[in-house]
Amino acid sequence: MLRSSKELLLALLTCIFIAASYAVVLLFTRQIPAAGGFYGHMVGVLGFLLMLMTETLYSLRKRTRSARWGRMADWLQFHIFTGIVGSFMVLLHSSWKFNGLAGITLLLTGVIVFSGFIGRYIYTRIPRTADGIEDPGLVGIMQTTALANARRLMALWHAIHIPIGMALFIAAFAHILGALYYATLLK
Amino acid sequence: MNNSKLGCLSPFAIFSAFLAIFALLIIGVLNGNAMFSPGALHNAHADIGDDCGQCHASFWGAQTMTNLCLNCHTEIQGELGDSTTLHGTLTKGLGATCQSCHTEHAGPSTSLTVMDTSAFPHEATGFVLTGHQIRSPGVSFTCSDCHTEGISMFNQQVCAECHRSLDSVYSEKHLTAFGVDCLACHDGVDRYGDFSHSQTAFNLTGAHLRVDCSDCHVGARTIAQLQSTKRACESCHQKDDAHNGEFGAQCGVCHSPEAWKPAKFDHSLSNFPLEGKHVDVACENCHTQGYAGTPQDCFSCHRADDAHQGQYGTACETCHHPGDWKDASFDHSLSRFPLDGAHINVECAECHKDNIYKGTPIECAACHADPAYHLGLFPGQACSECHTTAAWRPAPYNGLHTFPMNHGQENNRLNTCADCHQPTLAQWTCYTCHDRAETEQKHREEGIADFDDCLRCHPTGQEDEAESRDGDKDNDD
């Protein structure tokens, strides 16, 4: 199980650092960094990559079942860190405009982050080893109903969280293709 | 929990992905590509609506966004080939495209022009910002100081308003003189504020320092026109010419830029240098009808001063000089009666009675009456036949005279008429020289009793001619 919330602290510090860089740009240019500008593009692309990593790496690690790729607890912490920092960068990329497909993508990003926080809460209801699998000893001393409820909640959450992520990335890819076509590759 | 396969491959996930794709397709069918729009178009482009392709060219096609812009903005198309225009300069010289400066999707009323103003090559607009860096001490100019109605617009009223606040008197005068089209002359680099006219070939001095620029630079709107302003006095001062052009166009010969008056006319450079009394005479006394063509002969001015009442003609300078009328020096030798001999010392009035000079006869008799001494013996004869102007005497008689006039000259005795003709010219005697008593005695000794008429026997005064006369007498007898 997660023994501490250091990933949240790290994520907060990183977000503060990024927010500071945003403030510097804001101060020097005296205008909100445009999504298509250098800074806006940078936070957008990095944010997207972090979000992509958030979704794929943790999921892949879970399926490997091998401690050779690191402990699941650490991967979850990394998943949470990149999910928070990546979504924060995507938010800054928005230049505070929430219309169109980009707005929908940002909305889905917000939804999945919110979903992630809920999932983390449910996740901790089931005692686990450091590698993320259920701890037979601790699980055994739980009340059967409580454990069953926790397991059902976890399954339900998975059934929602992952499809939201799929919708998010479909929307994000469409947004990226549109941006490439209409702006980046525009002659 | 199913750990056997990736979560993204779960039925829910796949369904969700397909649902998302389907939703996007539906939105695309219903709204076109509007979902990709980052924001509303400007009102000026409202007609385009959701037809993204009107402006956005595909990256694999031959068209560019600039081409698509110019399809509608044909007036800009016209500027592109002309490097004197803003768009011509920006696109040709700097390789800019439309989207380098213009943006969209920022809302219906947000400016379509977004530039890096600090790096904007303002000289491309034809106006350099060299002279517009500091608005006031410590305060730099910003774009909106001049471009009050938008970055791409400029109203020259802004120039006038700002410069009025700096110097209202000068600005009003300048605007009145040159008009409100500031950019017609000013390109931002000219720095008229530091301009000194002494840098030009026409340094301003005297009264010229106080005139308005436009008084001389009439209608000038460009540097070239200002520089081509004629520098000759008459190009500006023709209307001021009190001499009506009589003195020509070289005003500077007499006048200076300090003032029209006093003027220093150097009369010695004219055809009539002033000397003597003429120096102190007021200009108007001679130049009564203007200056050009003033007659230079004395009589034109001095007709009233002619003490000779025109008798001596109009060439006063023959006798008089400008120093003093009375210091006249009449050269009688130039007249038809040159003075010589005793005439030289005769007072003028002796011949020119009553101060009348003209028409004075030159015949001797007009002044010299035939003396009683002549006894009227020389009627019609000119005095000069016998007399000279040196003196009345001697007067060598050249007329009819039977008796040799050189008689007795060998003895240096007979010189004048009176030596023989006594007491008058009508009478004569030989006894002035020949002693009467001695002559009587000798003739009596010769037996000549009738010897009173000397010339009967001695017609030429020779002594021996009487013997032949005697023979003749004897024969006659």
Side-chain angles (χ1 to χ4, degrees), chain A residues 10-57:
Chain A
L10 272 173
L12 181 65
L13 289 173
T14 308
C15 285
I16 289 172
F17 175 76
I18 294 167
S21 73
Y22 187 86
V24 169
V25 175
L26 193 64
L27 197 66
F28 275 93
T29 62
R30 294 179 181 276
Q31 51 189 310
I32 293 168
F38 175 75
Y39 186 83
H41 257 145
M42 190 180 71
V43 290
V45 170
L46 289 177
F48 171 75
L49 291 175
L50 285 178
M51 292 300 286
L52 196 61
M53 288 163 65
T54 306
E55 179 127 352
T56 55
L57 296 180

Side-chain angles (χ1 to χ4, degrees), chain A residues 59-60 62-63 65 97 99-102 154 158-159 162-164 166-167 170-171 174-175 178 181-182 185-187, chain B residues 1 3 5-8 12-13 16 20-21 24 33 35-39 52 56-61 63-65 99:
Chain A
S59 192
L60 287 169
K62 271 204 299 186
R63 275 31 177 207
R65 297 180 182 177
K97 288 192 291 189
N99 56 310
L101 179 59
M154 196 69 211
H158 262 118
I162 292 173
I164 292 172
M166 289 301 284
I170 294 297
H175 164 69
Y181 178 85
Y182 286 114
L185 297 175
L186 182 68
K187 291 186 292 183
Chain B
M1 224 174 114
N3 288 336
K5 58 182 178 184
L6 287 168
C8 61
F12 277 127
S16 174
I21 292 169
L24 290 175
N33 295 328
M35 62 178 159
F36 295 110
S37 172
C52 310
H56 290 273
S58 60
F59 60 84
W60 58 80
Q63 284 281 29
T64 65
M65 181 175 246
Q99 54 265 48

Side-chain angles (χ1 to χ4, degrees), chain B residues 39-362:
Chain B
L41 293 176
H42 192 275
N43 282 335
H45 290 144
D47 291 345
I48 295 172
D50 296 329
D51 186 6
C52 310
Q54 273 201 40
C55 304
H56 290 273
S58 60
F59 60 84
W60 58 80
Q63 284 281 29
T64 65
M65 181 175 246
T66 294
N67 294 144
L68 296 177
C69 294
L70 296 175
N71 282 347
C72 293
H73 296 282
T74 51
E75 77 283 6
I76 305 300
Q77 174 79 64
E79 284 189 29
L80 297 187
D82 183 357
S83 59
T84 63
T85 64
L86 170 63
H87 288 101
T89 305
L90 289 174
T91 53
K92 196 173 183 181
L94 303 170
T97 62
C98 300
Q99 54 265 48
S100 299
C101 303
H102 300 290
T103 186
E104 246 301 3
H105 297 289
S109 59
T110 308
S111 173
L112 291 175
T113 303
V114 175
M115 291 180 289
D116 179 3
T117 52
S118 64
F120 178 70
H122 210 284
E123 62 276 12
T125 67
F127 191 87
V128 183
L129 296 182
T130 309
H132 289 82
Q133 295 293 315
I134 306 297
R135 182 168 186 173
S136 58
V139 180
S140 299
F141 266 97
T142 63
C143 304
S144 60
D145 286 338
C146 303
H147 298 282
T148 54
E149 299 169 11
I151 192 72
S152 61
M153 300 170 73
F154 180 64
N155 186 340
Q156 296 194 64
Q157 277 292 339
V158 175
C159 306
E161 287 168 13
C162 193
H163 284 271
R164 272 198 194 101
S165 69
L166 293 171
D167 187 342
S168 61
V169 174
Y170 176 79
S171 296
E172 281 303 331
K173 194 184 288 183
H174 192 72
L175 286 166
T176 303
F178 292 106
V180 296
D181 188 7
C182 310
L183 298 180
C185 304
H186 299 280
D187 58 5
V189 76
D190 37 50
R191 304 307 309 272
Y192 288 103
D194 295 336
F195 174 72
S196 168
H197 220 284
S198 62
Q199 297 163 356
T200 72
F202 193 89
N203 189 21
L204 296 185
T205 58
H208 284 156
L209 286 169
R210 297 186 288 277
V211 299
D212 293 338
C213 308
S214 58
D215 287 350
C216 304
H217 299 290
V218 180
R221 291 290 182 275
T222 64
I223 298 287
Q225 286 172 340
L226 288 168
Q227 290 174 334
S228 65
T229 301
K230 291 177 179 173
R231 295 196 288 270
C233 306
E234 82 272 15
S235 59
C236 288
H237 292 297
Q238 199 165 30
K239 63 182 185 305
D240 305 320
D241 184 11
H243 319 299
N244 297 320
E246 297 168 357
F247 284 176
Q250 301 297 314
C251 310
V253 173
C254 306
H255 300 282
S256 79
E258 297 300 324
W260 284 113
K261 292 178 179 177
K264 292 182 178 176
F265 176 63
D266 187 356
H267 220 290
S268 63
L269 297 175
S270 73
N271 293 328
F272 193 88
L274 298 184
E275 49 186 310
K277 289 285 180 63
H278 286 158
V279 172
D280 300 323
V281 174
C283 308
E284 302 78 37
N285 282 14
C286 301
H287 299 288
T288 55
Q289 304 290 327
Y291 291 86
T294 301
Q296 294 169 18
D297 66 289
C298 310
F299 207 68
S300 295
C301 288
H302 293 294
R303 183 188 299 271
D305 304 320
D306 183 14
H308 318 299
Q309 297 165 339
Q311 301 169 70
Y312 285 176
T314 58
C316 309
E317 71 276 12
T318 306
C319 305
H320 300 281
H321 64 84
D324 186 359
W325 277 117
K326 292 182 178 176
D327 184 19
S329 56
F330 178 62
D331 185 356
H332 221 291
S333 64
L334 298 175
S335 73
R336 60 189 177 127
F337 192 84
L339 298 185
D340 55 3
H343 284 155
I344 291 173
N345 297 319
V346 173
E347 287 296 318
C348 304
E350 296 253 341
C351 303
H352 301 289
K353 303 296 184 187
D354 299 328
N355 210 27
I356 296 172
Y357 293 83
K358 190 173 184 180
T360 303
I362 59 173

Side-chain angles (χ1 to χ4, degrees), chain A residues 101-124:
Chain A
L101 179 59
I104 292 170
T105 309
L106 186 65
L107 176 65
L108 288 171
T109 306
V111 168
I112 205 164
V113 169
F114 179 70
S115 166
F117 274 104
I118 292 173
R120 181 183 183 279
Y121 172 74
I122 298 170
Y123 184 88
T124 55

